[in-house]
Amino acid sequence: QMCIRDSINAEYGEKVMSEVVPPKTHEEKCVGPDSELAGKASSCEGCENQTICASRPRTGPDPDVGQIEERMNNIKHKILVLSGKGGVGKSTFSSQLTFALADLDKDVGILDIDICGPSIPKILGLEKPEDIVRMSSSGWEPVYARENLAVMSVGFLLNNPDEAVIWRGPKKNGLIKQFLKDVLWEEMDYLIIDTPPGTSDEHLSITQYLKTTKVDGAVIITTPQEVSLIDVRKEINFCQKVGLPIIGVVENMSGFVCPKCKTETKIFAPTTGGARKMCQDLNLNFLGSIPLDPVIARSCDEGKSYITQQPNSPASKAYNDIIQKIISCCEKK
């Protein structure tokens, strides 16, 4: 076995991996970058990728997709955690969902594809010198937070946790592909995929690579205020365009209950009705609201499960209710 950090840094520092150019998301009739009509069809007019698609050699289907399918066949359920907005608590929710599934004796993995801002190693308490990705003859070995909780993140590949990852799309796409096809994902009940905000390279890549692997769907995270919902609607539109099912929407940071006087304050006011109203308007499943609790942030900083630490808190009760809905949605399929 060897540490993969040096080899991956050398590889990605020396070359840009050849990747499929992401199709534009604003055009529903995009023929796709691998089509013979790519860059030439009438629907390509005005697309920023038209010149790139037209000049790209036609190489046929991506041969790595078969390897990804083979790896993903070991995993019963695959869930993406998404939001068009940053700072709404995607990684916090992903980590608490993963901890909860592990506590239910599920074999679970979490894949962090936030290439530029990986926070999952910190939130899961994996910051020790021995918490590194190793390479064997069979592939990359994930880091284990528990016996039944496997973790993969670019954070494990950095020499310094404060080191910036300054990569363009093709390099991000290449690493995400390797996370899917080269990591030794054993037989698991759930794989949780934590994503960055937006609807860009990472999102296009992960949905493209997993397209034939029966993804259960996306859990979309938002906060109550309209400035968050504006971007979350874009994420919902993205899911609809790429054919990704939406399990439901979670409203995070939904009010704060004072532990002393029990008065509830809406820190982020739902000026347009919040996530519940949005779900009603868009005919989506509203999974529930999670209130603010300072202990949640402290649990993430300490790499611990908030639900285990505060089992009787209002936020833990909300988490458990939402997680049971997600499990029911996945396991009834």
Side-chain angles (χ1 to χ4, degrees):
Q1 292 184 338
M2 61 174 290
C3 172
I4 201 169
R5 181 182 293 157
D6 294 337
S7 62
I8 196 71
N9 286 344
E11 177 179 0
Y12 282 88
E14 292 173 359
K15 67 177 183 177
V16 175
M17 299 188 71
S18 175
E19 285 297 319
V20 174
V21 179
K24 56 185 179 176
T25 59
H26 64 272
E27 176 55 70
E28 294 181 0
K29 296 181 180 178
C30 176
V31 297
D34 289 318
S35 170
E36 291 295 328
L37 296 176
K40 303 171 185 177
S42 59
S43 60
C44 299
E45 293 296 329
C47 176
E48 62 274 16
N49 286 334
Q50 183 176 9
T51 302
I52 300 173
C53 287
S55 60
R56 184 174 181 270
R58 302 291 166 248
T59 57
D62 187 342
D64 292 327
V65 170
Q67 296 181 48
I68 292 172
E69 286 184 16
E70 187 175 346
R71 290 284 192 200
M72 293 297 105
N73 282 340
N74 292 328
I75 303 167
K76 294 178 183 176
H77 303 288
K78 294 166 279 289
I79 300 170
L80 276 69
V81 179
L82 303 172
S83 176
K85 194 69 175 174
V88 298
K90 290 182 301 300
S91 296
T92 299
F93 184 84
S94 295
S95 64
Q96 298 308 310
L97 172 60
T98 304
F99 275 136
L101 290 169
D103 287 338
L104 292 170
D105 293 327
K106 305 287 187 182
D107 290 315
V108 60
I110 182 166
L111 171 58
D112 181 3
I113 65 166
D114 192 342
I115 306 299
C116 295
S119 55
I120 290 300
K122 172 72 175 178
I123 297 176
L124 294 187
L126 298 172
E127 297 184 292
K128 300 182 291 296
E130 60 266 30
D131 294 329
I132 58 175
V133 178
R134 301 183 185 278
M135 184 168 62
S136 70
S137 58
S138 301
W140 301 5
E141 297 181 359
V143 180
Y144 281 84
R146 302 178 185 176
E147 186 177 345
N148 63 335
L149 202 171
V151 187
M152 179 54 67
S153 170
V154 71
F156 297 129
L157 307 179
L158 303 177
N159 293 315
N160 183 336
D162 297 328
E163 182 181 344
V165 179
I166 308 172
W167 287 1
R168 295 187 187 274
K171 294 173 79 172
K172 292 180 181 179
N173 299 344
L175 185 59
I176 290 170
K177 179 188 283 188
Q178 289 193 271
F179 280 164
L180 295 172
K181 77 179 181 69
D182 292 338
V183 172
L184 295 173
W185 299 111
E186 303 292 345
E187 289 193 9
M188 291 191 298
D189 297 301
Y190 287 88
L191 177 65
I192 310 303
I193 301 172
D194 186 47
T195 68
T199 56
S200 191
D201 293 299
E202 295 91 337
H203 310 81
L204 286 164
S205 294
I206 195 71
T207 53
Q208 173 193 334
Y209 296 145
L210 294 179
K211 191 171 184 178
T212 60
T213 65
K214 298 180 181 178
V215 176
D216 289 83
V219 174
I220 297 179
I221 313 298
T222 186
T223 47
Q225 76 276 32
E226 180 62 19
V227 73
S228 175
L229 296 173
I230 288 172
D231 290 336
V232 168
R233 292 188 192 97
K234 295 181 178 68
E235 194 76 45
I236 292 167
N237 183 248
F238 168 84
C239 292
Q240 293 167 342
K241 287 187 173 181
V242 300
L244 178 64
I246 298 174
I247 294 172
V249 178
V250 175
E251 185 177 81
N252 203 16
M253 308 182 200
S254 181
F256 170 71
V257 179
C258 175
K260 293 186 177 180
C261 70
K262 306 302 179 184
T263 301
E264 182 175 358
T265 303
K266 297 294 184 183
I267 305 297
F268 301 107
T271 54
T272 58
R276 185 184 297 274
K277 176 65 164 55
M278 181 190 70
C279 287
Q280 291 172 352
D281 293 342
L282 299 177
N283 195 29
L284 295 174
N285 186 22
F286 179 66
L287 294 172
S289 301
I290 301 172
L292 282 163
D293 186 337
V295 181
I296 296 176
R298 189 171 71 217
S299 297
C300 290
D301 284 346
E302 295 174 352
K304 298 178 180 178
S305 167
Y306 167 79
I307 300 171
T308 301
Q309 289 189 309
Q310 302 288 327
N312 298 316
S313 70
S316 285
K317 292 177 181 177
Y319 268 120
N320 285 324
D321 182 56
I322 291 167
I323 290 166
Q324 284 302 319
K325 289 179 182 178
I326 293 171
I327 292 172
S328 296
C329 180
C330 292
E331 298 190 357
K332 74 180 181 181
K333 294 182 178 180

